[in-house]
Amino acid sequence: MPVTDAPRLQWQTAEVREIVEETPRVRTIILDVPSWHGHKAGQHIDVRLTADDGYQAQRSYSIASAPESDHLMLSVERIEEGEVSPYLAGEARMGDKFELRGPIGGYFVWTIATGGPLFLIAGGSGVAPLMAMLRHRAAQKSTIPATLLFSSRTYDDIIYRAEMERLAAADPHLKIVHTLTRGQPAGWTGPSRRIDSEMLVSEGFAPDAKPHIYICGPTALVESSARALLALGHDRALIKTERFGPTGL
Amino acid sequence: MSDSPVTRGFKGRRGPQGPASRIPPGQHLTTDFPVLSAGPTPPIDLASWSFELQDGDTTLGEWDWDEFNALAQTDVTVDIHCVTTWSKLDTHWQGVTIDTLLEAVGLAEPPGPFTLIHCDGDYTTNVPTEDLVDGKAMIATLYEGEPLVGEHGGPARLLVPHLYFWKSAKWVRSIVFGETDDPGFWEDLGYHIYGDPWREQRYAGD
Ligand SMILES: Cc1cc2nc3c(=O)[nH]c(=O)nc-3n(C[C@H](O)[C@H](O)[C@H](O)COP(=O)(O)OP(=O)(O)OC[C@H]3O[C@@H](n4cnc5c(N)ncnc54)[C@H](O)[C@@H]3O)c2cc1C
């Protein structure tokens, strides 16, 4: 496909249809988008907000919903000193309108055709594009073996917790492992430290199984997980990463 | 832009915006340096590192790490603009300009109108030759006076600051001159073939 001939991705106006409080800091915004031509799990959109004096701000957000879903969903973490996330994850309400365009990105993408096993590694809101993959897999009733290793601060910070429990309970080929890095409820038996090499070995797939690996979250988590996986012998070409920022430098 | 609907409840931060003349449309100022890459950061191995200039399949010049660092060094202070909408002003880099490399292999003129930049991890990006010469681009090895860290493309990355920053390819290993403008990695995946931030050329068709 000659890239230069591609049609422009047009801005269009989306309307907030519903808001779900996922955790104290993360909300899912469910959108009505007038003409959406579909997406692949893992892709993102650009959002553009306009203030009443014409001032605009633009940021990228992963699509959290499955391609099979009727509505587009974003899951946004509120960054206190941020510009766009406090609106999306705090101020936005039903009926609000803003612009978006997409889908964008063709690399950090998984479809049933990509195959498996599927090994997903997430930190915090980085789970959004990976959830799109699990939702796509579930919608297709796929039996491709899949594991999600998900790092959250505390139990209450686990995004999509109830849906994940439902998905895993109904699916012997899906394993979801939570690690809680800053606080664990009484009786917690799961891991309670940052994702490390040992955890990647005990919970993930062996390099021989040639898993397709997707890592998304803060830069530090992505860097350290990818490095550990390479050291364990996983194929660089099968490791795809998406970093939400920031560096912390 | 005037067609954009007002988003109820959105005010914007309106903090220090930076001089408007230096922030391209749709960009915002950042003070940290976010990392974006498609895969794992390759380990830095200076002993096996090399950099090559090629005309198609023909090698014009090849340098190991010490040889490369012995070439004439250039300092620049530039603004950089990432397609994910952050811009960072007054970043300092040191490295070897493409002009210096061409001179080092004895060429007065670049051998072809287009280039494909090759990197560790099979990453590529395409840049027209005229955007690399006349002091417009360098292979950078120092950032803010320090060796460039792996996350930011170390030991060496292309720096072509007047285009969106994905064109400033990390972990760069060769520049291949050619006759055709062949899309690189992101360009093949829907990003703009040229990527001028001032014309907001983020995605194909922009
Ligand atoms: C491809 C892509 C997909 C993304 N998908 C999502 C998504 O699904 N959900 C989501 O919540 N975000 C996602 N992000 C991040 C998002 O684009 C914004 O960067 C984020 O919402 C912060 O924007 P802001 O305007 O609120 O903060 P800004 O005004 O841009 O930044 C304010 C301050 O917060 C810091 N900061 C920025 N991001 C973070 C962070 N993640 N954690 C801690 N500090 C931060 C900045 O360094 C800065 O100092 C994605 C980013 C990319 C590139």
Side-chain angles (χ1 to χ4, degrees):
Chain A
M1 180 190 70
V3 179
T4 35
D5 293 348
R8 184 171 194 267
L9 285 173
Q10 299 291 344
W11 288 104
Q12 49 178 317
T13 302
E15 186 174 325
V16 178
R17 178 192 172 89
E18 205 186 318
I19 286 171
V20 180
E21 304 288 340
E22 301 280 2
T23 73
R25 293 182 305 125
V26 176
R27 300 203 322 184
T28 291
I29 303 188
I30 303 173
L31 296 166
D32 277 323
V33 185
S35 66
W36 190 250
H37 303 295
H39 67 276
K40 290 183 186 139
Q43 288 187 298
H44 68 273
I45 57 167
D46 280 357
V47 165
R48 182 163 77 184
L49 306 183
T50 305
D52 53 13
D53 63 353
Y55 173 84
Q56 295 186 321
Q58 197 171 310
R59 299 288 187 279
S60 302
Y61 291 94
S62 302
I63 301 169
S65 44
E68 292 80 1
S69 167
D70 290 337
H71 301 284
L72 211 62
M73 298 182 200
L74 310 179
S75 295
V76 180
E77 176 177 349
R78 198 165 52 249
I79 309 286
E80 294 309 338
E81 70 281 26
E83 175 161 45
V84 170
S85 67
Y87 166 78
L88 291 174
E91 177 65 33
R93 45 172 127 106
M94 247 171 71
D96 281 2
K97 293 184 168 70
F98 56 81
E99 291 173 292
L100 58 79
R101 64 176 184 150
I104 299 157
Y107 184 69
F108 194 82
V109 156
W110 184 80
T111 68
I112 298 296
T114 311
L118 178 61
F119 187 18
L120 308 177
I121 299 159
S125 53
V127 74
L130 307 185
M131 194 60 177
M133 297 174 190
L134 289 183
R135 286 168 166 161
H136 167 59
R137 183 181 162 281
Q140 296 293 324
K141 302 195 167 37
S142 162
T143 57
I144 290 173
T147 293
L148 167 65
L149 180 54
F150 186 14
S151 178
S152 304
R153 292 179 182 179
T154 70
Y155 190 72
D156 290 334
D157 289 310
I158 300 177
I159 306 165
Y160 316 128
R161 192 179 66 224
E163 183 179 349
M164 285 180 181
E165 278 166 16
R166 270 200 311 279
L167 284 175
D171 183 348
H173 305 287
L174 172 64
K175 179 167 91 168
I176 297 180
V177 178
H178 295 291
T179 183
L180 303 178
T181 56
R182 293 204 195 165
Q184 302 79 30
W188 178 253
T189 54
S192 47
R193 59 186 199 279
R194 288 176 175 221
I195 292 172
D196 55 22
S197 182
E198 198 188 325
M199 208 184 295
L200 292 165
V201 171
S202 61
E203 308 302 345
F205 298 91
D208 286 350
K210 302 219 177 306
H212 293 259
I213 304 173
Y214 295 81
I215 316 174
C216 186
T219 298
L221 175 144
V222 173
E223 287 290 325
S224 66
S225 306
R227 210 176 304 129
L229 288 161
L230 284 178
L232 290 169
H234 287 274
D235 183 355
R236 168 184 298 281
L238 294 176
I239 304 176
K240 297 186 173 175
T241 61
E242 185 112 286
R243 295 156 173 89
F244 281 5
T247 55
L249 291 178
Chain B
M1 282 226 195
S2 54
D3 298 343
S4 298
V6 169
T7 305
R8 183 212 60 79
F10 173 68
K11 307 269 181 306
R13 182 169 41 214
R14 320 297 175 98
Q17 292 299 316
S21 64
R22 290 171 67 183
I23 308 289
Q27 297 290 111
H28 68 281
L29 205 56
T30 186
T31 48
D32 60 24
F33 192 175
V35 176
L36 298 163
S37 341
T41 297
I44 293 181
D45 180 9
L46 298 181
S48 69
W49 187 88
S50 67
F51 186 81
E52 214 175 322
L53 217 53
Q54 287 171 263
D55 180 10
D57 295 334
T58 312
T59 298
L60 302 169
E62 190 175 358
W63 299 268
D64 66 18
W65 183 249
D66 290 336
E67 290 164 345
F68 193 82
N69 282 282
L71 293 166
Q73 300 286 310
T74 302
D75 282 301
V76 292
T77 300
V78 292
D79 301 343
I80 55 179
H81 311 291
C82 178
V83 70
T84 66
T85 72
W86 56 262
S87 290
K88 193 169 165 67
L89 305 185
D90 297 319
T91 59
H92 302 88
W93 305 81
Q94 183 181 310
V96 178
T97 63
I98 312 307
D99 306 304
T100 299
L101 293 173
L102 288 168
E103 221 172 277
V105 299
L107 288 180
E109 291 291 326
F114 298 102
T115 72
L116 196 60
I117 315 295
H118 293 259
C119 304
D120 282 336
D122 289 334
Y123 181 85
T124 55
T125 191
N126 59 304
V127 183
T129 302
E130 62 179 355
D131 290 274
L132 294 182
V133 295
D134 300 329
K136 293 197 203 83
M138 65 160 56
I139 305 297
T141 52
L142 296 186
Y143 171 66
E144 302 299 343
E146 303 284 338
L148 191 56
V149 298
E151 278 171 34
H152 289 307
R157 83 183 291 166
L158 180 68
L159 178 69
V160 45
H162 66 287
L163 301 179
Y164 279 124
F165 210 48
W166 88 78
K167 294 282 187 183
S168 291
K170 295 175 179 177
W171 314 309
V172 66
R173 295 299 290 273
S174 66
I175 298 178
V176 181
F177 291 91
E179 294 302 316
T180 54
D181 196 11
D182 300 326
F185 179 86
W186 288 117
E187 294 82 7
D188 224 4
L189 291 167
Y191 284 75
H192 198 274
I193 192 82
Y194 181 64
D196 178 357
W198 294 98
R199 286 184 279 167
E200 214 173 348
Q201 294 173 333
R202 298 178 196 276
Y203 311 117
D206 278 355

